[in-house]
Amino acid sequence: MRLPEDFILGGATAAYQAEGATKEGNKGKVAWDDFLEKQGRFLADPASDFYHKYPVDLELCQKFGVNGIRISIAWSRIFPNGYGKVNKEGVEFYHKLIDECLKRNVEPFVTLHHFDTPNALHSKGDFLNRDTIDYFVEFAKVCFEEYKGKVKYWITFNEIWPVCCGQYITGAFPPAIKYDLEKAIQSMHNMMVAHAKAVKVFKENKYPGEIGIIHSLEYKYPDRDLEEDRLAAELEDAVSNKLLLDATFKGEYSERTKYCIDRVLKANGGTLEIQDGDLEVIKEASENNDFLGINYYQSSFIREYNGESDIYHNGTGDKGTSVFKLKGVGERRFDKDIPRTDWDWLIYPEGLYDMMTRIKNEYPNYNKIYITENGMGYKDDFENGIIMDGPRIDYIRRHLEAVVKAIEEGVNVKGYFLWSLMDVFSWSNGYNKRYGLFYVDFETQERYPKESAYWYKRVSETKEIL
Ligand code: BGP
């Protein structure tokens, strides 16, 4: 199986998970700073010290055939309080980082929001407060202007559903609210308005390059061949996938999506407020997305569930402890006869294939797809600098095969970014859930290529999925 010649084989990072240096360069706070400190398990410092080590990581990219990188710009480095005066040090840092990418022939794909709203705005309601929409668009515009000519690929948001779900449903993300579906869905809509407004600014000003959005798209399968389970799967799909895909590519919520969302909100109490003008701007942007980023790790099998919400987030890698039952939606089953990681993530590449072909059929104006995250969280063993991560290689191989199969079916997929380039910290799991091609010793900040890095290099050189 071969990848196309012009395929980007990249690695992904995110500012807060990689940079460290949370108090350097006049950076403003994000909600995670206090949240993690209070939780007391781990902090975002040192992370992978990418703030200082990025030249090393980009050199590794070049050596190992990684020809694309996802980075994100921390909003709180550009505007420490979310808006107002631009922080020159922050602007400069990203100039240097982007220049280094270009020097190493590693194409930067730049995300503007990766779970890290500045705390000054987060504490006033984050995207539930509509002022945040305007401040985000202002921040986006400053970045488009500043880095034009250098950055070709822009991404407005990384994963709207997971961030809203973490903030307001599982409570694993600050402000740690649980089971509030009204807030989650409202915030998703508001973030889609922000995306649409940023796309409008980008296109109206004719900035060079392309713009898109990243959605985390897990396929939702009915657990059993029963009408009740089919409905439960459809409801979870509507909340986590269809609401966002409809807004992105149809520029409206389809009748069936509205029915599902209303039903879920009714069961949980709450309504979705759509303000005048929201749907117009969403509609306009839906014709202007240059690409869709898909983050894909797992799929879910859903069963009918009629009780109260009950979620246990397995954030330690204690296999078999996950619980996810959502009132008015359904229950995810983790006990399937399908391999899963220690964090109970079902390894199911078929779901990626099904999702890509679904996008092609249901949202034909998607233009092109990049798999912007995929990878395996694993407790790597480090023995004298050698890291044999065979299960990760197998995971990547199977997902790349799903990509090639989709390309053969006519889906326009142009690249794949492994999460993560080097080990970074995981938001709700900490430092022992490693994903990188390069092992990071978080004490010394030394990097060590894993077996998967050598494998990835061979794939990049030969284009063959070995
Ligand atoms: C995605 C995020 C990434 C990353 C990844 C792995 O949702 O975009 O930031 O963290 O998932 O998830 P986790 O760290 O929870 O294992």
Side-chain angles (χ1 to χ4, degrees):
M1 279 196 148
R2 284 183 72 83
L3 295 167
E5 285 305 316
D6 62 348
F7 197 77
I8 290 187
L9 204 58
T13 71
Y16 197 67
Q17 290 175 277
E19 287 174 6
T22 62
K23 296 183 178 69
E24 275 182 62
N26 288 322
K27 184 183 184 300
K29 263 192 179 186
V30 294
W32 288 94
D33 296 345
D34 292 343
F35 176 80
L36 293 179
E37 201 162 314
K38 203 167 143 215
Q39 203 177 53
R41 283 178 65 204
F42 50 86
L43 296 172
D45 285 304
S48 330
D49 197 23
F50 189 62
Y51 191 72
H52 302 106
K53 287 275 190 177
Y54 67 87
V56 175
D57 293 314
L58 284 152
E59 191 184 344
L60 284 169
C61 284
Q62 196 176 37
K63 278 193 182 152
F64 282 81
V66 178
N67 63 355
I69 185 172
R70 273 192 64 207
I71 55 172
S72 74
I73 295 183
W75 184 352
S76 54
R77 286 200 192 278
I78 307 298
F79 289 108
N81 290 316
Y83 62 98
K85 203 167 155 271
V86 171
N87 172 32
K88 288 219 169 60
E89 273 190 72
V91 170
E92 259 326 288
F93 167 67
Y94 291 108
H95 268 297
K96 286 192 289 181
L97 170 55
I98 292 163
D99 289 345
E100 192 71 22
C101 295
L102 301 176
K103 180 178 132 195
R104 295 284 179 190
N105 292 321
V106 181
E107 189 68 54
F109 280 61
V110 181
T111 307
L112 293 167
H113 185 278
H114 195 126
F115 300 179
D116 58 349
T117 309
N119 194 44
L121 300 178
H122 174 87
S123 60
K124 291 195 191 121
D126 213 315
F127 277 93
L128 288 172
N129 181 338
R130 295 198 47 127
D131 290 345
T132 304
I133 298 176
D134 299 330
Y135 296 137
F136 173 76
V137 177
E138 190 49 42
F139 158 60
K141 196 171 172 196
V142 166
C143 293
F144 298 151
E145 195 59 52
E146 191 64 47
Y147 306 110
K148 68 180 173 207
K150 291 187 182 183
V151 173
K152 279 197 218 133
Y153 300 94
W154 289 100
I155 293 141
T156 53
F157 286 101
N158 175 73
E159 297 193 349
I160 290 180
W161 158 251
V163 70
C164 296
C165 181
Q167 288 180 311
Y168 306 118
I169 297 178
T170 70
F173 290 9
I177 292 171
K178 286 189 102 172
Y179 312 140
D180 193 328
L181 276 93
E182 182 182 37
K183 280 198 169 63
I185 291 171
Q186 187 65 56
S187 184
M188 289 166 77
H189 169 78
N190 292 0
M191 288 172 88
M192 281 310 304
V193 174
H195 159 76
K197 289 189 169 181
V199 169
K200 189 176 165 70
V201 165
F202 187 81
K203 294 293 177 187
E204 276 181 359
N205 290 283
K206 299 197 168 48
Y207 288 111
E210 302 186 0
I211 192 160
I213 186 167
I214 291 176
H215 294 311
S216 157
L217 298 173
E218 297 177 1
Y219 214 98
K220 308 293 175 184
Y221 298 97
D223 184 47
R224 301 162 299 184
D225 188 18
L226 293 177
E227 200 45 53
E228 293 84 340
D229 289 8
R230 276 193 284 278
L231 178 62
E234 187 189 4
L235 291 170
E236 190 171 321
D237 180 71
V239 176
S240 61
N241 298 327
K242 215 157 174 270
L243 175 93
L244 297 167
L245 288 169
D246 279 5
T248 308
F249 294 112
K250 290 191 193 295
E252 63 181 15
Y253 302 118
S254 68
E255 283 310 313
R256 187 66 188 172
T257 304
K258 275 195 278 196
Y259 165 79
C260 292
I261 298 297
D262 285 350
R263 189 182 159 123
V264 169
L265 283 174
K266 208 164 163 204
N268 285 274
T271 49
L272 169 63
E273 193 199 330
I274 298 180
Q275 291 197 1
D276 285 352
D278 284 2
L279 293 175
E280 284 73 9
V281 74
I282 284 181
K283 184 87 196 165
E284 195 184 326
S286 70
E287 292 306 326
N288 285 324
N289 295 291
D290 296 302
F291 62 88
L292 166 68
I294 297 183
N295 288 359
Y296 179 87
Y297 292 87
Q298 59 175 334
S299 283
S300 329
F301 291 80
I302 324 278
R303 193 175 269 213
E304 173 196 31
Y305 177 69
N306 295 311
E308 291 297 311
S309 288
D310 180 16
I311 294 175
Y312 177 80
H313 171 68
N314 168 4
T316 52
D318 190 4
K319 202 169 183 170
T321 55
S322 297
V323 179
F324 194 98
K325 301 175 185 173
L326 208 48
K327 185 177 176 178
V329 180
E331 172 187 356
R332 292 185 196 165
R333 303 293 298 189
F334 298 95
D335 56 353
K336 299 294 291 181
D337 191 17
I338 289 174
R340 66 197 146 120
T341 71
D342 287 345
W343 287 265
D344 299 316
W345 292 24
L346 299 179
I347 302 174
Y348 200 65
E350 295 84 346
L352 175 59
Y353 171 80
D354 287 345
M355 187 52 81
M356 289 186 283
T357 46
R358 171 185 177 189
I359 300 291
K360 171 178 171 266
N361 296 332
E362 288 179 29
Y363 303 96
N365 60 340
Y366 71 94
N367 281 325
K368 53 181 176 170
I369 290 174
Y370 291 94
I371 305 304
T372 36
E373 280 183 36
N374 174 246
M376 186 183 182
Y378 191 61
K379 297 167 192 161
D380 288 303
D381 284 326
F382 179 89
E383 280 178 42
N384 298 324
I386 295 178
I387 306 102
M388 301 300 283
D389 56 345
R392 179 176 292 114
I393 295 176
D394 191 52
Y395 181 101
I396 306 170
R397 177 190 296 118
R398 292 180 59 206
H399 287 83
L400 280 176
E401 283 170 358
V403 169
V404 171
K405 206 173 143 208
I407 293 174
E408 284 167 2
E409 294 296 319
V411 186
N412 189 24
V413 193
K414 303 302 281 180
Y416 172 99
F417 293 77
L418 181 77
W419 183 267
S420 44
L421 176 64
M422 66 290 188
D423 292 334
V424 298
F425 92 93
S426 162
W427 305 97
S428 57
N429 308 281
Y431 286 87
N432 79 333
K433 192 179 188 188
R434 293 172 180 269
Y435 282 92
L437 284 178
F438 304 108
Y439 186 97
V440 176
D441 177 331
F442 291 108
E443 273 172 33
T444 62
Q445 290 297 337
E446 283 299 312
R447 272 73 168 143
Y448 301 85
K450 301 179 190 175
E451 198 196 2
S452 55
Y454 294 101
W455 179 83
Y456 210 63
K457 181 178 190 318
R458 286 199 302 277
V459 174
S460 163
E461 286 167 357
T462 61
K463 301 287 180 247
E464 254 172 72
I465 305 173
L466 306 150

